[in-house]
Amino acid sequence: MTEVDVPESHPRYESLLTRHRIEAGVEKGITSKQGLIAQGRGEAYDYLLGERTIPSADEAARVAAAHFRLADQAVVSVNGNVAALCPGEVVELADATGADIEVNLFNRTAERMERIADHLREHGAEAVLGLSADGRIPGLDHERATVDADGIGSADVVLVPLEDGDRAEALAAMGKTELVIDLNPLSRSAQSASVPIVDNVIRAIPNITEHARDLRDAPETALRDVIDGFDPETALGTAEDAIRSGDLD
Ligand code: PTJ
């Protein structure tokens, strides 16, 4: 038995562990209650995908890693679900790629912003952006438009796991290279992404880190080849087919 009171041999161990982390995130004031609903939606798609990284998602993770390598300024956006599910993995990705970490909430409250920033620092983050809140995403009303001007505001590459569709579209309209992790290939976030990664964030983030390390010494031409060989619509279609057919290879 570990973090959750279920034996590791349980066939749905990972899924139960994930639920437990989200629940703990709500109790700690990191994750919003809506985060529980989002988790349930994600879980349903993950179940249909066989709770594993399908080959097209692995390819997308490699393309995301190539974008991180070529970025002038990359930012990993963290919301309440991501902070609860994989804080250490986010810090490792930022370390491996030189990206900044920015807390960016759909349901923004000052208290939750602070708690998430503290939680990330406890997991090794040196700098956490998002608290200055001196920039805005054009075309969005309300607090969810708030960003740091020298973070997501000026970044050319942004990784947005579990993003709300409106904001994903608005970020794409700002001309940013948007890397989206979302288990639903039909979501507007996935559809508006330059690189949609249809995978669970708990698998996708360490996978991008691994690819980034593997591509560390790759020349620019090789990184461009990785990016140019990728078609987001094909990746989304392949994920949808995997869900419909149950053919996971
Ligand atoms: O912490 P906040 O205030 O920023 O709020 C975060 C949530 C996630 C609650 C907010 O952004 C939201 O309401 O998101 P949605 O619109 O419910 O979208 C969440 C998307 O993420 C859905 O398409 C889910 O299928 C997907 N999803 C959920 N859990 C995971 C996931 N994708 C990858 N990995 C997951 N673990």
Side-chain angles (χ1 to χ4, degrees):
M1 309 274 194
T2 55
E3 187 177 348
V4 55
D5 196 18
V6 172
E8 283 182 52
S9 57
H10 191 290
R12 313 225 41 245
Y13 174 77
E14 285 296 334
S15 165
L16 295 169
L17 178 70
T18 305
R19 276 188 194 181
H20 174 77
R21 287 195 187 154
I22 288 286
E23 209 182 322
V26 173
E27 278 161 13
K28 280 172 93 172
I30 289 173
T31 309
S32 71
K33 286 188 188 160
Q34 288 187 19
L36 294 166
I37 298 166
Q39 169 64 25
R41 286 167 65 192
E43 236 180 59
Y45 285 103
D46 206 12
Y47 182 81
L48 294 170
L49 282 164
E51 293 172 349
R52 65 175 197 151
T53 301
I54 59 172
S56 60
D58 182 52
E59 187 200 348
R62 191 165 181 81
V63 176
H67 276 294
F68 271 111
R69 286 272 163 239
L70 288 174
D72 289 328
Q73 186 199 356
V75 174
V76 181
S77 176
V78 175
N79 64 20
N81 285 49
V82 175
L85 290 176
C86 47
E89 290 83 351
V90 164
V91 173
E92 242 187 274
L93 173 62
D95 284 349
T97 58
D100 293 321
I101 298 175
E102 178 162 341
V103 183
N104 192 244
L105 300 184
F106 181 70
N107 301 297
R108 188 183 176 106
T109 66
E111 195 184 6
R112 207 150 63 85
M113 291 292 296
E114 288 291 348
R115 284 196 181 168
I116 293 174
D118 286 347
H119 184 67
L120 290 166
R121 287 188 203 103
E122 280 163 23
H123 283 83
E126 280 168 23
V128 180
L129 304 177
L131 302 166
S132 328
D134 51 357
R136 288 189 78 73
I137 305 171
L140 283 183
D141 54 11
H142 209 44
E143 282 296 277
R144 69 198 169 127
T146 309
V147 291
D148 272 16
D150 65 352
I152 290 176
S154 58
D156 57 334
V157 173
V158 189
L159 174 68
V160 282
L162 280 75
E163 185 57 279
D164 134 78
D166 261 9
R167 211 167 44 177
E169 283 179 349
L171 282 170
M174 285 174 87
K176 298 185 186 298
T177 298
E178 197 176 18
L179 318 171
V180 167
I181 301 170
D182 194 319
L183 279 158
N184 176 5
L186 300 172
S187 78
R188 277 191 299 141
S189 310
Q191 304 268 342
S192 62
S194 319
V195 183
I197 304 166
V198 182
D199 200 5
N200 197 316
V201 68
I202 61 172
R203 296 188 297 267
I205 289 196
N207 198 22
I208 300 170
T209 305
E210 212 179 301
H211 283 298
R213 288 185 178 136
D214 190 49
L215 292 170
R216 187 168 18 222
D217 299 322
E220 185 175 335
T221 47
L223 296 172
R224 297 240 172 257
D225 284 348
V226 170
I227 291 169
D228 292 346
F230 179 77
D231 176 37
E233 281 181 24
T234 304
L236 289 171
T238 309
E240 208 183 313
D241 287 348
I243 286 171
R244 284 183 199 282
S245 67
D247 174 10
L248 302 170
D249 291 311

